[in-house]
Amino acid sequence: MALKENDLKWFRPLWRRVAVAAFLLLWLGWELFYTKDTFWAVLVGAALVYVAWNFFYNFPKEQPNDALPPAGSADDENRQDP
């Protein structure tokens, strides 16, 4: 499941993604070592895997604003297509 545009904007800062992952990691540790509740440990572990995949591995890279010239610039006007 891909993240929506609003979610991408909100999670763009790295600290927010790390905070969510750290919270889930702490919760998983709580469930595994203190409560020993297997159901919640599996549920939180699955959420942590989902977050790791979408927030760190599959998260779109931010494109710099100066990578592409603005539309209608001098480069576009002087270019001749064969």
Side-chain angles (χ1 to χ4, degrees):
M1 181 171 140
L3 294 171
K4 296 178 183 176
E5 188 64 32
N6 286 340
D7 295 336
L8 287 175
K9 288 179 185 176
W10 198 84
F11 284 117
R12 179 67 58 195
L14 180 61
W15 72 268
R16 288 182 179 164
R17 292 179 276 153
V18 170
V20 171
F23 171 75
L24 288 173
L25 187 63
L26 288 172
W27 187 5
L28 180 62
W30 173 266
E31 295 297 341
L32 288 175
F33 300 117
Y34 186 73
T35 65
K36 297 183 182 5
D37 190 349
T38 308
F39 173 75
W40 283 105
V42 169
L43 196 67
V44 175
L48 185 60
V49 169
Y50 175 80
V51 162
W53 177 264
N54 278 315
F55 284 1
F56 301 109
Y57 182 75
N58 202 26
F59 201 80
K61 305 291 184 230
E62 188 172 357
Q63 297 175 351
N65 292 337
D66 59 347
L68 298 174
S73 65
D75 293 336
D76 290 340
E77 294 170 4
N78 295 334
R79 185 176 44 178
Q80 296 177 354
D81 293 326

